[in-house]
Coordinates of all heavy atoms in Angstrom, one line a residue:
R1 N -16.5 -43.6 -64.1 CA -17.7 -43.9 -64.9 C -19.0 -43.3 -64.2 O -20.0 -43.9 -64.2 CB -17.9 -45.5 -64.9 CG -16.9 -46.1 -65.9 CD -17.1 -47.6 -66.0 NE -16.3 -48.1 -67.0 CZ -14.9 -48.3 -67.0 NH1 -14.3 -48.1 -65.8 NH2 -14.3 -48.8 -68.0
A2 N -18.8 -42.1 -63.6 CA -19.9 -41.5 -62.9 C -19.9 -40.0 -63.2 O -18.9 -39.4 -63.5 CB -19.8 -41.8 -61.4
F3 N -21.1 -39.4 -63.0 CA -21.2 -38.0 -63.0 C -21.3 -37.5 -61.5 O -22.0 -38.1 -60.7 CB -22.5 -37.6 -63.7 CG -22.6 -37.9 -65.1 CD1 -23.3 -39.0 -65.6 CD2 -22.0 -37.1 -66.1 CE1 -23.3 -39.3 -66.9 CE2 -22.0 -37.4 -67.4 CZ -22.7 -38.5 -67.9
K4 N -20.6 -36.4 -61.2 CA -20.7 -35.9 -59.9 C -21.9 -35.0 -59.8 O -22.0 -34.0 -60.5 CB -19.4 -35.1 -59.6 CG -19.3 -34.6 -58.1 CD -18.0 -33.9 -57.9 CE -17.9 -33.5 -56.4 NZ -16.6 -32.8 -56.1
T5 N -22.8 -35.4 -58.9 CA -24.1 -34.6 -58.8 C -24.2 -34.1 -57.4 O -23.4 -34.4 -56.5 CB -25.3 -35.5 -59.1 OG1 -25.5 -36.4 -58.1 CG2 -25.1 -36.2 -60.4
A6 N -25.3 -33.3 -57.1 CA -25.5 -32.8 -55.8 C -25.7 -33.9 -54.8 O -25.5 -33.8 -53.6 CB -26.7 -31.8 -55.8
W7 N -26.2 -35.1 -55.2 CA -26.5 -36.2 -54.3 C -25.3 -37.2 -54.2 O -25.3 -38.0 -53.3 CB -27.6 -37.0 -54.9 CG -28.9 -36.3 -54.8 CD1 -29.8 -36.2 -53.7 CD2 -29.5 -35.5 -55.8 NE1 -30.9 -35.5 -54.1 CE2 -30.8 -35.0 -55.3 CE3 -29.2 -35.2 -57.1 CZ2 -31.6 -34.2 -56.1 CZ3 -30.0 -34.4 -57.9 CH2 -31.2 -33.9 -57.4
G8 N -24.3 -37.0 -55.0 CA -23.1 -37.9 -55.0 C -22.8 -38.3 -56.4 O -23.2 -37.8 -57.4
Y9 N -22.0 -39.4 -56.5 CA -21.6 -39.9 -57.8 C -22.6 -40.8 -58.4 O -23.1 -41.8 -57.8 CB -20.2 -40.7 -57.7 CG -19.1 -39.7 -57.5 CD1 -18.6 -39.4 -56.2 CD2 -18.4 -39.1 -58.6 CE1 -17.5 -38.5 -56.0 CE2 -17.4 -38.2 -58.4 CZ -16.9 -38.0 -57.1 OH -15.9 -37.1 -56.9
F10 N -23.1 -40.4 -59.6 CA -24.2 -41.1 -60.3 C -23.6 -41.9 -61.5 O -23.1 -41.4 -62.4 CB -25.2 -40.0 -60.8 CG -26.3 -40.5 -61.6 CD1 -27.5 -40.9 -60.9 CD2 -26.3 -40.6 -63.0 CE1 -28.6 -41.4 -61.6 CE2 -27.4 -41.1 -63.7 CZ -28.6 -41.5 -63.0
I11 N -23.8 -43.2 -61.4 CA -23.4 -44.1 -62.5 C -24.6 -44.4 -63.3 O -25.6 -45.0 -62.8 CB -22.8 -45.4 -61.9 CG1 -21.6 -45.1 -61.0 CG2 -22.4 -46.4 -63.0 CD1 -21.0 -46.3 -60.4
P12 N -24.6 -44.0 -64.6 CA -25.8 -44.3 -65.4 C -25.9 -45.8 -65.8 O -24.9 -46.5 -65.7 CB -25.5 -43.4 -66.7 CG -24.0 -43.3 -66.7 CD -23.6 -43.3 -65.3
V13 N -27.1 -46.2 -66.2 CA -27.4 -47.6 -66.5 C -26.5 -48.0 -67.7 O -26.1 -49.2 -67.8 CB -28.8 -47.8 -66.9 CG1 -29.3 -47.0 -68.1 CG2 -29.1 -49.3 -67.1
T14 N -26.1 -47.1 -68.6 CA -25.3 -47.4 -69.7 C -23.9 -47.8 -69.3 O -23.1 -48.5 -70.1 CB -25.2 -46.3 -70.7 OG1 -25.0 -45.0 -70.0 CG2 -26.5 -46.1 -71.5
A15 N -23.4 -47.4 -68.1 CA -22.1 -47.7 -67.7 C -22.1 -48.7 -66.5 O -21.0 -49.1 -66.1 CB -21.4 -46.4 -67.2
Y16 N -23.3 -49.1 -66.0 CA -23.3 -49.9 -64.8 C -22.7 -51.2 -65.0 O -21.9 -51.7 -64.1 CB -24.8 -50.0 -64.4 CG -24.9 -50.9 -63.1 CD1 -24.6 -50.3 -61.9 CD2 -25.3 -52.2 -63.2 CE1 -24.7 -51.1 -60.7 CE2 -25.4 -53.0 -62.0 CZ -25.1 -52.4 -60.8 OH -25.2 -53.1 -59.7
A17 N -23.0 -52.0 -66.1 CA -22.5 -53.3 -66.2 C -20.9 -53.3 -66.2 O -20.3 -54.1 -65.6 CB -23.0 -54.0 -67.5
R18 N -20.4 -52.4 -67.0 CA -18.9 -52.3 -67.1 C -18.3 -51.9 -65.7 O -17.3 -52.4 -65.3 CB -18.5 -51.3 -68.2 CG -17.0 -51.2 -68.3 CD -16.3 -52.5 -68.6 NE -14.8 -52.3 -68.7 CZ -13.9 -53.3 -68.5 NH1 -14.3 -54.5 -68.2 NH2 -12.6 -53.0 -68.7
W19 N -19.0 -50.9 -65.0 CA -18.5 -50.5 -63.7 C -18.5 -51.7 -62.8 O -17.5 -51.9 -62.0 CB -19.4 -49.4 -63.1 CG -19.1 -49.2 -61.7 CD1 -18.1 -48.5 -61.1 CD2 -19.8 -49.9 -60.6 NE1 -18.1 -48.6 -59.8 CE2 -19.1 -49.5 -59.4 CE3 -20.9 -50.7 -60.5 CZ2 -19.5 -49.9 -58.1 CZ3 -21.3 -51.2 -59.2 CH2 -20.6 -50.7 -58.0
R20 N -19.6 -52.5 -62.7 CA -19.6 -53.6 -61.8 C -18.5 -54.6 -62.1 O -17.9 -55.2 -61.2 CB -21.0 -54.3 -61.9 CG -21.2 -55.4 -60.9 CD -22.6 -56.0 -61.0 NE -23.0 -56.5 -62.3 CZ -24.2 -56.9 -62.6 NH1 -25.1 -56.9 -61.7 NH2 -24.4 -57.3 -63.8
E21 N -18.3 -54.9 -63.4 CA -17.2 -55.8 -63.8 C -15.9 -55.4 -63.3 O -15.1 -56.1 -62.7 CB -17.2 -56.0 -65.3 CG -16.2 -56.9 -65.9 CD -16.1 -56.9 -67.4 OE1 -17.0 -56.3 -68.0 OE2 -15.2 -57.5 -67.9
V22 N -15.6 -54.1 -63.5 CA -14.3 -53.5 -63.1 C -14.2 -53.5 -61.6 O -13.1 -53.9 -61.0 CB -14.0 -52.1 -63.7 CG1 -12.8 -51.5 -63.1 CG2 -13.9 -52.2 -65.2
F23 N -15.3 -53.1 -60.9 CA -15.2 -53.1 -59.5 C -15.0 -54.4 -58.9 O -14.2 -54.6 -57.9 CB -16.6 -52.5 -58.9 CG -16.7 -52.6 -57.4 CD1 -16.0 -51.7 -56.6 CD2 -17.4 -53.6 -56.8 CE1 -16.1 -51.8 -55.2 CE2 -17.5 -53.7 -55.4 CZ -16.8 -52.8 -54.7
E24 N -15.7 -55.5 -59.4 CA -15.5 -56.8 -58.8 C -14.1 -57.3 -59.1 O -13.5 -58.0 -58.2 CB -16.5 -57.7 -59.4 CG -17.9 -57.5 -59.0 CD -19.0 -58.3 -59.6 OE1 -18.6 -59.0 -60.6 OE2 -20.2 -58.3 -59.2
E25 N -13.5 -57.0 -60.2 CA -12.1 -57.4 -60.5 C -11.2 -56.7 -59.5 O -10.3 -57.4 -58.9 CB -11.7 -56.9 -61.9 CG -12.3 -57.8 -63.0 CD -12.0 -57.2 -64.4 OE1 -11.3 -56.2 -64.5 OE2 -12.4 -57.8 -65.4
R26 N -11.3 -55.4 -59.2 CA -10.4 -54.7 -58.3 C -10.7 -55.1 -56.9 O -9.8 -55.1 -56.1 CB -10.6 -53.2 -58.6 CG -10.1 -52.8 -60.0 CD -10.2 -51.3 -60.2 NE -9.8 -51.0 -61.6 CZ -9.7 -49.8 -62.1 NH1 -10.1 -48.7 -61.4 NH2 -9.3 -49.6 -63.3
Q27 N -12.0 -55.4 -56.6 CA -12.3 -55.8 -55.2 C -11.6 -57.2 -55.0 O -11.0 -57.4 -53.9 CB -13.8 -56.0 -55.1 CG -14.2 -56.3 -53.7 CD -15.7 -56.5 -53.6 OE1 -16.3 -57.2 -54.4 NE2 -16.4 -55.9 -52.6
A28 N -11.6 -58.0 -56.0 CA -10.9 -59.3 -55.8 C -9.4 -59.1 -55.6 O -8.8 -59.8 -54.8 CB -11.2 -60.2 -57.0
A29 N -8.8 -58.2 -56.4 CA -7.4 -57.9 -56.2 C -7.1 -57.4 -54.8 O -6.0 -57.7 -54.2 CB -6.9 -56.9 -57.3
F30 N -8.0 -56.6 -54.3 CA -7.8 -56.0 -52.9 C -7.8 -57.1 -51.9 O -6.9 -57.2 -51.0 CB -9.0 -55.0 -52.6 CG -9.0 -54.5 -51.2 CD1 -8.1 -53.5 -50.8 CD2 -10.0 -55.0 -50.4 CE1 -8.2 -53.0 -49.5 CE2 -10.1 -54.5 -49.1 CZ -9.2 -53.5 -48.7
F31 N -8.7 -58.1 -52.0 CA -8.8 -59.1 -51.0 C -7.7 -60.2 -51.2 O -7.2 -60.8 -50.3 CB -10.2 -59.8 -51.0 CG -11.2 -59.0 -50.4 CD1 -12.4 -58.6 -51.0 CD2 -11.1 -58.5 -49.1 CE1 -13.4 -57.8 -50.5 CE2 -12.0 -57.7 -48.5 CZ -13.2 -57.4 -49.2
A32 N -7.2 -60.3 -52.5 CA -6.1 -61.2 -52.8 C -4.8 -60.6 -52.1 O -4.0 -61.4 -51.6 CB -5.9 -61.3 -54.3
L33 N -4.7 -59.3 -52.1 CA -3.5 -58.7 -51.4 C -3.6 -59.0 -49.9 O -2.6 -59.3 -49.3 CB -3.5 -57.2 -51.7 CG -2.3 -56.5 -51.1 CD1 -1.0 -57.1 -51.5 CD2 -2.3 -55.0 -51.5
R34 N -4.8 -58.8 -49.4 CA -5.0 -59.1 -48.0 C -4.6 -60.6 -47.7 O -3.8 -60.8 -46.7 CB -6.5 -59.0 -47.6 CG -6.8 -59.4 -46.2 CD -8.3 -59.7 -46.0 NE -8.7 -60.8 -46.9 CZ -10.0 -61.2 -47.1 NH1 -11.0 -60.6 -46.5 NH2 -10.3 -62.2 -47.9
D35 N -5.0 -61.5 -48.5 CA -4.7 -62.9 -48.3 C -3.2 -63.1 -48.4 O -2.6 -64.0 -47.7 CB -5.4 -63.8 -49.3 CG -7.0 -63.7 -49.1 OD1 -7.4 -63.3 -48.0 OD2 -7.7 -64.1 -50.0
R36 N -2.6 -62.4 -49.3 CA -1.1 -62.6 -49.5 C -0.4 -62.1 -48.2 O 0.6 -62.7 -47.8 CB -0.7 -61.8 -50.7 CG 0.8 -61.8 -50.9 CD 1.2 -60.9 -52.0 NE 2.7 -60.7 -52.1 CZ 3.3 -59.8 -52.9 NH1 2.5 -59.0 -53.7 NH2 4.6 -59.7 -52.9

């Protein structure tokens, strides 16, 4: 959900809410695996 720019990966405001939702889901899965 980002454009690759000279400064790095740019997530536009139109994609930000969905990006945050997916990131938080996958972050939770990452820490759930740690706990397991």
Side-chain angles (χ1 to χ4, degrees):
R1 290 179 169 81
F3 296 99
K4 188 176 182 181
T5 73
W7 292 274
Y9 286 94
F10 178 86
I11 300 177
V13 62
T14 46
Y16 180 77
R18 179 57 179 158
W19 168 81
R20 184 174 60 184
E21 178 184 351
V22 173
F23 173 76
E24 289 175 352
E25 289 174 358
R26 296 181 181 181
Q27 185 185 47
F30 173 75
F31 287 124
L33 181 56
R34 174 203 62 187
D35 296 342
R36 176 186 171 189

